[in-house]
């Protein structure tokens, strides 16, 4: 998979090659990332243009594609790292010093990263150094036999005899040749997470896909794609870059006047800074680069499989997820034990398997102004305690789970009164509150220890089989540069300690909805609450765009009440479930108020969700019609054996039945005959794929049609 011959280092994945060469002056140059090339002496030069006007005399790097460019010397574009030495700029030009191939995937100290489970991966660690400047970089590249990805991370080492101060350390750098390209990225906000945006990259443009909100953020996901101008779901060359990181991130794109594009991905340099004593080193998070010549669909199916098999560590990753009911939108803070048990009892009758008690079960938490941080059960609401409540829920035949928000504290709490100094703050200013809460300073070991100890106590108190880990505000008042990275490391330590102490608990990530939906959290939590906006029409867009970079099994998707609590929209119960089926399925409404036909419909929905959940966990997702482009949204999940297919198609606004399109299915077995388990109709694979199926929507807004095809 990896070879080093003369001056060339080649990594080969399933259908891709990543090739670097050492230039005549010892610089590590990028030669190729894309469709597979044979190992040989390459015949074309690793440069973007024959000559660079007004570049530094002699040896210029301004028109050379580089693997880890230094700033301020022979290359006049943004560098992959920068630093100062006392009051001076750090001027360096890293040169190749050696490369070592290792079996297995690279590990990244203190941070989540891909793993190989002992097979199919190789890593090359390449050392670059500038001894004069006293700086060294070790670049780790991992390639997997079965995947079209390269995972990169970087360690910067101070090899001088005085301290240096790092101002930026990107994890990866990718340079692409001249072509008409576009960037696809995923900005958003609370309840509008990961909206799909696409725009042309033009010469001279600089685009920074970045976030400064402390967590990976509602406002910008750490995932972007650079694609051929006309690429779509199945056609065109597409590159993607995802950062396995949950703090402030940046994917920094610079389009050079010569037409080449440099993309740097890593920790956001804004607000970053790190002192390195002589001999000290700094490790970056891991950046995953993927290539597909089958459009965006090729990227998402690759990342979906990669994350399930090589990133998520939870025992639940490949397991069918229990259908849950969460009491948040049913009761908010206004509940007691009897109400919860009544919900659980009725939910059980509906075929639901797990009852989740959301916010409000601890301390004096009767609203969102108090109690956060006090992880002891509120006996007024729950007289039987967690143990007793879990027993009562279990006695109804349901699993029991609960909500926590371990990183936070309300100023009105016992914890804050005891340890006011434990919150993130600068000594000269009152810290900003958001949702009446402050953030615990988890860079401090005693704070981490408190959290780990108190949550361990909670999780040992009763038979708790599920945890929703929330985080409800941006991080402000960070006291010094680099703080956000230390916070993120602290978070990973806590998440690692708790998930490994309770490996059988199903953990779901959450951050005011989908404010920390990133590959870093997926390492610990196999599913993440996608958005607080569970309106089915809004979810079409949110789930559609999220599926571009993440597996369906990672997306928490619930059926909630209509009118929807976030946007007031009314949608049919059928639509709400049909849209939620393509995720970790559940309910979040007051089921005790649902009777008659509605209740019977839920019973049928849960039975159906159980039938397709294995497919959702293991299948490949195809997006067939985009809600960002027209009045329809269609997606499809196909089992790895192609013997089972789920299709959901929604016609967003109703109109006459006169012009329904045929929708061609993808990825199915064209020679097979399939039967739809819902209608009993039989279809030929070649017709579904070459001619398409014709959905017959009801004549109402947000009408959906679903198919569940099984091979005869
Ligand atoms: C934000 C989450 O996204 C909601 O689902 C709910 O758990 C609330 N927090 C509780 O405070």
């Amino acid at each position: 998979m990896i070879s080093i011959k003369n001056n060339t280092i080649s990594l080969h994945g399933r259908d891709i090659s990543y090739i670097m060469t050492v230039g005549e002056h010892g610089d590590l140059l990028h030669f190729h990332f894309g469709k597979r090339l044979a190992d040989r002496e390459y015949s074309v030069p690793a440069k973007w243009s024959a000559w660079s006007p007004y570049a530094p005399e002699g040896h210029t790097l301004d028109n050379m594609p580089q693997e880890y460019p230094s700033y301020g010397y022979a290359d006049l574009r943004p560098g992959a790292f920068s630093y100062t030495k006392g009051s001076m700029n750090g001027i360096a030009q890293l040169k190749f010093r050696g490369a070592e191939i290792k079996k297995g995937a690279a590990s990244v100290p203190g941070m989540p990263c891909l793993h190989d489970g002992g097979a199919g991966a190789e890593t090359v660690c390449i050392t670059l150094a500038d001894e004069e400047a006293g700086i060294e970089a070790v670049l780790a590249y991992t390639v997997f036999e079965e995947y079209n990805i390269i995972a990169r991370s970087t360690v910067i080492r101070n090899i001088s005899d005085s301290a240096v101060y790092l101002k930026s350390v990107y994890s990866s750098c990718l340079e692409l040749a001249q072509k008409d390209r576009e960037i696809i990225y995923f900005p958003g906000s609370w309840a509008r997470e990961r909206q799909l945006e696409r725009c042309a990259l033009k010469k001279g443009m600089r685009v920074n896909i970045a976030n400064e909100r402390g967590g990976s953020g509602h406002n910008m996901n750490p995932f972007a794609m650079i694609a051929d101008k006309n690429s779509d779901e199945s056609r065109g060359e597409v590159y993607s870059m995802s950062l396995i990181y949950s703090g402030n991130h940046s994917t920094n794109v610079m389009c050079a006047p010569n037409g080449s594009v440099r993309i740097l991905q890593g920790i956001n340099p804004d607000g970053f800074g790190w002192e390195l004593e002589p001999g000290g080193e700094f490790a970056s998070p891991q950046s995953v680069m993927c290539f597909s010549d089958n459009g965006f669909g090729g990227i998402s199916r690759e990342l979906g499989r990669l994350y399930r098999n090589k990133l998520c560590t939870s025992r639940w990753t490949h397991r069918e997820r229990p259908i849950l009911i969460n009491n948040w939108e049913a009761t908010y803070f206004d509940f007691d034990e009897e109400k919860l048990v009544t919900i659980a009892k009725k939910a059980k009758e509906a075929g639901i398997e797990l009852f989740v008690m959301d916010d409000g079960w601890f301390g004096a938490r009767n609203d969102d102004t108090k109690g956060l941080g006090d992880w002891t059960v509120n006996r007024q609401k729950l007289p039987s305690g967690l143990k007793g409540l879990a027993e009562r829920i279990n006695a109804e035949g349901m699993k029991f789970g609960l909500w926590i928000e371990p990183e936070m504290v309300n100023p009105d709490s016992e914890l804050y009164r005891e340890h006011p100094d434990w919150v993130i703050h600068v000594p000269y200013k009152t810290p900003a509150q958001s949702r009446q809460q402050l953030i615990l300073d988890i860079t401090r070991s005693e704070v981490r220890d408190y959290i780990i100890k108190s949550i361990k106590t909670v999780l040992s108190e009763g038979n708790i089989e599920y945890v929703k880990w929330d985080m409800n505000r941006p991080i402000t008042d960070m006291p010094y540069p680099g703080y956000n990275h230390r916070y993120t490391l602290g978070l990973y330590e806590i998440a690692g300690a708790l998930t490994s102490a309770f490996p059988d608990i199903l953990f779901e990530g959450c951050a005011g909805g989908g404010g920390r939906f990133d590959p870093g959290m997926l390492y610990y939590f196999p599913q993440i609450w996608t958005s607080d906006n569970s309106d089915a029409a809004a979810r079409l867009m949110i789930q559609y765009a999220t599926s571009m970079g993440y597996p369906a099994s990672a997306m928490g998707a619930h059926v909630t009440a209509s009118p929807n609590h976030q946007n007031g929209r009314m949608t049919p119960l059928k639509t709400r479930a049909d849209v939620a089926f393509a995720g970790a399925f559940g309910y979040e409404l007051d089921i005790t108020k649902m009777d008659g036909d509605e209740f019977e419909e839920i019973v049928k929905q849960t039975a159906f969700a159980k039938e397709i959940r294995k497919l959702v966990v293991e299948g490949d997702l195809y997006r067939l019609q985009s809600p960002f482009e027209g009045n329809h949204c269609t997606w499809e999940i196909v089992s790895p054996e192609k013997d089972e297919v789920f299709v959901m198609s929604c016609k967003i606004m109703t109109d006459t039945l006169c012009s329904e399109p045929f929708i061609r299915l993808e990825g199915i077995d064209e020679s097979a005959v399939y039967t739809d388990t819902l209608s009993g109709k039989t279809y030929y694979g070649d017709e579904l794929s070459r001619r398409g199926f014709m959905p017959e929507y009801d004549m109402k807004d947000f009408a959906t049609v679903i198919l569940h095809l099984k091979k005869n």
Side-chain angles (χ1 to χ4, degrees):
M1 276 187 286
I2 302 182
S3 72
I4 304 178
K5 283 189 196 141
N6 300 325
N7 285 335
T8 303
I9 303 170
S10 314
L11 291 82
H12 303 289
R14 192 180 71 241
D15 324 292
I16 54 131
S17 297
Y18 190 101
I19 297 164
M20 302 164 252
T21 63
V22 180
E24 56 179 313
H25 298 283
D27 306 293
L28 185 65
L29 305 177
H30 178 73
F31 180 72
H32 174 74
F33 178 36
K35 270 180 117 160
R36 212 177 160 114
L37 288 180
D39 262 356
R40 65 162 94 88
E41 292 277 321
Y42 298 103
S43 54
V44 293
K47 53 162 96 175
W48 295 136
S49 62
W51 189 63
S52 300
Y54 302 109
E57 242 25 276
H59 148 235
T60 174
L61 287 167
D62 209 29
N63 67 351
M64 303 283 203
Q66 292 179 72
E67 281 301 319
Y68 204 69
S70 319
Y71 171 72
Y73 194 65
D75 183 318
L76 305 172
R77 292 168 289 168
F81 71 105
S82 60
Y83 66 102
T84 51
K85 236 175 151 39
S87 59
M88 284 175 288
N89 283 328
I91 304 292
Q93 183 53 54
L94 298 172
K95 302 281 180 184
F96 179 78
R97 294 290 178 254
E100 195 190 342
I101 300 173
K102 298 175 182 170
K103 285 269 160 247
S107 57
V108 179
M111 279 175 273
C113 58
L114 301 181
H115 51 78
D116 67 339
E122 258 180 23
T123 298
V124 59
C125 292
I126 304 175
T127 303
L128 309 178
D130 181 336
E131 288 79 8
E132 216 181 350
I135 205 95
E136 185 177 274
V138 180
L139 315 181
Y141 299 74
T142 295
V143 63
F144 292 83
E145 223 166 61
E146 290 303 315
Y147 292 90
N148 290 334
I149 69 103
I150 300 290
R152 282 190 63 174
S153 53
T154 298
V155 170
I156 300 282
R157 214 169 268 149
N158 178 1
I159 54 168
S160 75
D161 51 14
S162 59
V164 303
Y165 190 74
L166 298 174
K167 295 197 303 176
S168 66
V169 180
Y170 278 100
S171 304
S172 62
C173 172
L174 177 64
E175 292 202 31
L176 300 173
Q178 183 164 13
K179 232 178 176 191
D180 267 344
R181 298 194 198 264
E182 295 180 338
I183 182 159
I184 292 92
Y185 60 102
F186 302 88
S189 66
W190 173 78
R192 280 185 69 250
E193 293 89 339
R194 292 168 298 286
Q195 301 294 300
L196 177 64
E197 290 292 344
R198 178 174 187 163
C199 70
L201 290 175
K202 299 279 179 197
K203 284 179 187 162
M205 260 173 79
R206 290 172 187 229
V207 182
N208 194 5
I209 305 297
N211 159 61
E212 292 87 16
R213 295 176 68 89
S216 51
H218 295 91
N219 61 320
M220 191 64 84
N221 200 258
F223 167 61
M225 295 190 270
I226 308 276
D228 284 352
K229 190 175 169 191
N230 294 317
S231 49
D232 59 23
E233 279 297 326
S234 54
R235 283 167 305 186
E237 292 199 348
V238 185
Y239 293 86
S240 74
M241 291 178 77
S242 314
L243 193 66
I244 305 182
Y245 194 58
S246 311
N248 290 339
H249 53 87
S250 155
T251 303
N252 200 344
V253 183
M254 186 243 180
C255 309
N258 65 15
S260 64
V261 184
R262 172 177 284 175
I263 310 143
L264 301 164
Q265 185 172 65
I267 295 174
N268 191 342
D270 242 354
F272 178 78
W274 206 270
E275 179 144 314
L276 282 189
E277 292 299 329
E281 58 183 44
F282 178 82
S284 83
Q286 197 172 52
S287 159
V288 177
M289 306 187 295
C290 181
F291 171 79
S292 149
D293 60 351
N294 298 311
F296 310 124
I299 294 279
S300 4
R301 289 184 286 281
E302 195 73 15
L303 291 179
R305 281 197 297 262
L306 179 81
Y307 288 172
R308 289 192 307 247
N309 297 327
K310 305 291 176 193
L311 176 66
C312 297
T313 50
S314 165
R315 286 185 186 169
W316 278 95
T317 306
H318 292 279
R319 287 192 199 156
E320 296 179 18
R321 312 291 163 74
I323 299 173
L324 66 78
I325 188 158
N326 177 307
N327 73 304
W328 179 242
E329 290 200 7
T331 64
Y332 295 100
F333 292 102
D334 184 17
F335 62 83
D336 60 20
E337 191 169 313
E338 295 317 312
K339 175 73 187 170
L340 300 185
V341 174
T342 320
I343 294 177
K345 204 180 169 86
K346 185 91 183 269
K348 168 71 186 169
E349 287 166 28
I352 297 171
E353 300 156 305
L354 161 67
F355 173 79
V356 178
M357 175 169 65
D358 210 278
D359 194 355
W361 59 265
F362 49 89
R365 186 83 171 161
N366 294 320
D367 55 40
D368 61 14
T369 62
K370 43 180 130 20
L372 268 182
D374 299 338
W375 299 111
T376 46
V377 75
N378 180 326
R379 289 267 172 186
Q380 269 151 1
K381 282 181 175 174
L382 306 173
S384 315
L386 287 179
K387 185 169 186 297
L389 177 61
E391 280 168 3
R392 289 187 67 185
I393 302 282
N394 291 165
E396 298 296 339
M398 299 273 283
K399 293 177 190 294
F400 175 67
L402 50 72
W403 177 99
I404 55 173
E405 191 174 4
E407 298 151 73
M408 298 292 159
V409 64
N410 283 125
D412 189 354
S413 66
E414 294 309 318
L415 181 65
Y416 185 78
R417 282 184 276 278
E418 214 174 303
H419 296 286
D421 58 317
W422 274 13
V423 299
I424 303 178
H425 69 290
V426 286
Y428 54 84
K429 188 162 172 60
T430 312
Q433 292 190 26
S434 174
R435 209 194 188 205
Q436 290 85 231
Q437 60 198 56
L438 296 168
I439 311 165
L440 292 171
D441 182 357
I442 57 172
T443 67
R444 293 169 62 168
S445 61
E446 68 273 35
V447 179
R448 293 197 298 276
D449 290 347
Y450 165 81
I451 294 174
I452 293 170
K453 192 164 166 247
S454 48
I455 301 297
K456 273 187 179 172
T457 308
V458 166
L459 300 184
S460 310
E461 244 169 73
N463 184 21
I464 293 158
E465 299 184 75
Y466 164 102
V467 165
K468 175 176 172 187
W469 181 313
D470 207 346
M471 191 273 197
N472 276 302
R473 58 159 291 177
I475 306 176
T476 59
D477 301 277
M478 293 190 252
Y480 49 83
Y483 180 88
N484 184 244
H485 182 61
R486 290 189 199 274
Y487 182 94
T488 309
L489 294 176
L491 169 67
Y492 291 148
E493 192 181 310
I494 300 169
L498 291 171
T499 50
S500 52
F502 299 93
D504 289 315
I505 289 184
L506 169 58
F507 281 83
E508 176 157 350
C510 177
R516 206 161 55 184
F517 200 114
D518 62 63
M521 296 322 296
L522 268 189
Y523 179 86
Y524 305 97
F525 309 150
Q527 60 192 58
I528 301 175
W529 182 224
T530 313
S531 174
D532 274 349
N533 190 344
S534 50
D535 161 49
R539 276 299 185 109
L540 290 175
M541 292 173 133
I542 297 170
Q543 291 177 207
Y544 184 95
T546 303
S547 77
M548 291 197 142
Y550 300 91
S553 57
M555 287 189 256
H558 298 174
V559 175
T560 56
S562 180
N564 179 269
H565 291 197
Q566 276 67 44
N567 64 10
R569 186 162 12 231
M570 300 191 54
T571 51
L573 181 55
K574 170 173 164 51
T575 302
R576 284 174 268 152
D578 287 354
V579 173
F581 284 140
F585 183 76
Y587 291 82
E588 193 163 330
L589 39 68
D590 192 348
I591 200 165
T592 61
K593 299 204 174 107
M594 302 188 87
D595 283 314
D597 291 350
E598 267 197 335
F599 187 76
E600 287 315 311
E601 199 173 337
I602 292 184
V603 172
K604 287 195 190 118
Q605 290 170 353
T606 60
F608 182 67
K610 287 173 194 167
E611 269 186 52
I612 62 157
R613 62 184 163 188
K614 185 74 189 153
L615 177 62
V616 174
V617 165
E618 299 294 0
D620 286 324
L621 190 132
Y622 293 81
R623 289 171 298 272
L624 307 181
Q625 290 181 307
S626 169
F628 293 93
E629 287 169 12
N631 193 33
H632 294 83
C633 173
T634 305
W635 54 58
E636 174 200 12
I637 303 180
V638 183
S639 67
E641 302 75 25
K642 300 179 190 295
D643 56 354
E644 189 180 1
V645 183
F646 169 69
V647 183
M648 187 291 304
S649 183
C650 180
K651 180 172 175 176
I652 299 168
M653 301 306 288
T654 185
D655 59 20
T656 70
L657 291 178
C658 294
S659 59
E660 296 308 346
F662 278 94
I663 303 170
R664 288 185 180 182
L665 299 194
E666 291 190 28
I668 61 172
D669 179 353
E670 293 197 342
S671 64
V673 180
Y674 291 95
T675 299
D676 178 14
T677 65
L678 295 160
S679 65
K681 281 190 195 155
T682 293
Y683 296 96
Y684 293 94
D686 56 354
E687 285 176 38
L688 289 175
S689 149
R690 296 174 197 177
R691 170 104 171 109
F693 89 102
M694 154 111 33
E696 289 177 29
Y697 308 98
D698 287 346
M699 282 175 96
K700 54 181 163 198
D701 290 343
F702 317 112
T704 46
V705 169
I706 55 171
L707 297 181
H708 179 218
L709 304 175
K710 282 203 166 168
K711 211 172 181 174
N712 285 1

